[in-house]
Amino acid sequence: MPTLRELLNSSIQTLQNAGVPSPEVDARELVLHALGLNRTALLTRANEEISATDAAKVAALIEHRAARIPLQHLIGEVEWGGIRLKTDARALVPRPETEVLLTLARQNVERRTWNVEKHSDHDPRSTIHDPLTILDIGTGSGALALALKAALPDAQVWATDISAEALALARENAELNGLEVHFELGSLFADLRGPFDLIVSNPPYLPAADKLTADPEVRHDPEVALYSGSDGLDLARALVAQAGDFLAPRGTLLLELDPRNVRQMAQEMRGWHTEVWPDLTGRERFLNAQREH
């Protein structure tokens, strides 16, 4: 029977041979998940022998990962934005860069609230709803909507998605975290009336041609959550065209887009004041917009 160290090393080698981008990290996560161990065990129990049954559990997970099934699908959940999320093929796996969008949304609310408290006696247009109203369009697993609700428990949060399967997963994640979000099935603004103080969205933004060169893991995500026309902006354009009718006075629209097309979207938004912000690697990705009138 192999020791824990031997099992981990052989798992790493299998993933390396399969071309998995991060074989050491993924092998470690899968070994620990299969055996129900914490990271300390890799040091304190490295020389312990692993039973044939447990070794088979590890081998099965490693085989699936070598076939390029996403790590998050195999583990079944991910820590994201301060909450736990179930992850599977029903919705896009939440990406680390989208946590920046979450941070920008929270900062926007904090800055807006501070401005209201400072200027409300002088400018009645600065008022915001009580409670704060937030809408997440294309919620997928519910990541953004639920993380915002967790961070802003007094806010009223709505979320829409065109996929019934994705919304089912989002509702499961809401129950998992004990959070109340109003979910609506439908495209973009569905049957909502607004107005909303903050609208956030991580819509599909990849050009259709990217399907030809997508990493194997990406092919396990729903295509409807990834691709949006020849330049990746079909859905974003439709969203922007309607957003002004659903924003409260001085409300904010926050979008995550592709570094290749975020500037194009900003340039097309006539009648909006726009800012483009970078992700943690310095690539322009996020669009902050308010109506000029």
Side-chain angles (χ1 to χ4, degrees):
M1 293 185 292
T3 64
L4 177 58
R5 178 182 289 112
E6 291 169 341
L7 184 61
L8 177 59
N9 288 339
S10 65
S11 298
I12 292 172
Q13 187 62 55
T14 297
L15 296 187
Q16 285 178 333
N17 293 343
V20 172
S22 51
E24 294 87 356
V25 171
D26 290 14
R28 182 179 67 243
E29 293 299 319
L30 290 172
V31 168
L32 294 177
H33 175 69
L35 302 180
L37 300 175
N38 58 35
R39 287 177 173 79
T40 304
L42 294 176
L43 297 174
T44 61
R45 303 174 61 177
N47 294 319
E48 288 187 13
E49 292 187 342
I50 305 301
S51 70
T53 299
D54 284 343
K57 292 179 183 177
V58 171
L61 286 176
I62 294 298
E63 181 179 351
H64 286 312
R65 185 67 188 103
R68 308 302 288 272
I69 295 174
L71 174 69
Q72 297 88 343
H73 288 186
L74 297 173
I75 292 178
E77 66 177 40
V78 64
E79 294 284 340
W80 190 95
I83 59 176
R84 289 171 56 216
L85 295 167
K86 293 173 62 176
T87 52
D88 58 38
R90 288 177 288 176
L92 191 74
V93 173
R95 271 41 172 186
E97 57 266 27
T98 306
E99 290 201 52
V100 178
L101 183 61
L102 171 63
T103 299
L104 294 175
R106 293 177 59 181
Q107 290 174 346
N108 178 274
V109 170
E110 292 167 1
R111 182 170 58 253
R112 183 174 169 85
T113 303
W114 182 85
N115 284 335
V116 167
E117 292 172 350
K118 183 177 180 181
H119 300 296
S120 57
D121 292 339
H122 308 289
D123 186 354
R125 295 176 302 167
S126 62
T127 57
I128 62 175
H129 288 90
D130 185 17
L132 181 78
T133 54
I134 299 173
L135 171 62
D136 174 24
I137 296 178
T139 194
S141 66
L144 264 176
L146 293 170
L148 283 167
K149 181 63 177 179
L152 304 164
D154 293 332
Q156 292 290 318
V157 182
W158 280 261
T160 67
D161 203 285
I162 198 171
S163 167
E165 289 187 341
L167 277 187
L169 177 60
R171 290 190 176 100
E172 291 170 20
N173 282 325
E175 183 176 357
L176 177 66
N177 289 278
L179 296 168
E180 183 179 354
V181 168
H182 308 281
F183 294 106
E184 295 287 343
L185 177 64
S187 178
L188 298 178
F189 295 89
D191 294 323
L192 300 175
R193 300 180 66 179
F196 298 97
D197 297 299
L198 176 64
I199 298 174
V200 298
S201 184
N202 175 22
Y205 55 60
L206 296 177
D210 283 11
K211 295 179 188 180
L212 301 176
T213 57
D215 290 336
E217 288 82 357
V218 172
R219 299 188 179 118
H220 291 272
D221 286 321
E223 285 195 3
V224 69
L226 293 168
Y227 306 104
S228 189
S230 61
D231 63 359
L233 290 176
D234 282 5
L235 192 64
R237 289 190 180 100
L239 190 162
V240 168
Q242 299 178 42
D245 294 333
F246 290 87
L247 275 176
R250 297 197 176 184
T252 297
L253 172 65
L254 281 173
L255 301 178
E256 177 180 335
L257 296 172
D258 191 279
R260 295 169 293 178
N261 57 33
V262 65
R263 281 283 173 186
Q264 177 63 34
M265 189 71 255
Q267 291 169 5
E268 293 181 15
M269 292 176 67
R270 296 177 180 85
W272 294 79
H273 172 71
T274 62
E275 295 178 283
V276 175
W277 292 333
D279 61 20
L280 294 176
T281 67
R283 296 177 298 175
E284 294 183 333
R285 184 179 293 277
F286 305 102
L287 180 58
N288 176 316
Q290 293 85 31
R291 294 291 289 180
E292 292 180 349
H293 303 293

